[in-house]
Amino acid sequence: MAAPPAGRAARMRDQMRKLVEASEQPNVTLQLLPFSLGAHPGLYGPFVILTFPPPTPDLVWLENPKNSVYLESPSDVGNYTHIFDQLKGTALNPSQTRTRIARISKELEE
């Protein structure tokens, strides 16, 4: 891993440590997608699946530099749920993710 410019390493290390701390909370799941995965559906951009108790239907929220879009159709929500499940399935599991982030943080000390 190439070293970041002076000063940024400490900031990045601190951010990595905060991620590890946050991932230890019971309501947080943190998973990394390894670079070796290559192209994947998450590269199309960020999305949020909003789930609600019935009878309110689930939504998908997409954000881009110009605006936000909410998708309501069951097929759209289903597509994004499928993408999310694919991403979770190919990502490192939470324990592996914490280990990888801790290792990166340690490397930033050098």
Side-chain angles (χ1 to χ4, degrees):
M1 178 173 170
R8 287 187 28 201
R11 189 171 336 133
M12 289 174 61
R13 185 183 61 242
D14 291 345
Q15 289 173 342
M16 295 290 176
R17 289 180 179 157
K18 292 285 186 189
L19 286 171
V20 169
E21 287 174 22
S23 74
E24 293 168 349
Q25 299 301 310
N27 62 332
V28 174
T29 302
L30 180 65
Q31 292 182 263
L32 289 176
L33 289 167
F35 285 119
S36 62
L37 183 61
H40 57 78
L43 293 175
Y44 292 115
F47 61 92
V48 177
I49 301 171
L50 303 166
T51 57
F52 304 98
T56 306
D58 296 343
L59 301 172
V60 173
W61 177 48
L62 305 174
E63 184 178 21
N64 63 55
K66 289 193 163 201
N67 61 17
S68 296
V69 176
Y70 289 93
L71 304 177
E72 300 177 9
S73 78
S75 65
D76 286 335
V77 173
N79 286 337
Y80 277 91
T81 299
H82 180 71
I83 289 169
F84 185 69
D85 290 342
Q86 282 183 306
L87 294 171
K88 285 191 319 183
T90 55
L92 299 176
N93 70 42
S95 177
Q96 293 169 323
T97 295
R98 275 191 297 278
T99 299
R100 176 78 56 94
I101 291 173
R103 189 179 78 221
I104 293 168
S105 176
K106 182 89 171 141
E107 290 172 359
L108 289 169
E109 291 177 5
E110 300 168 358

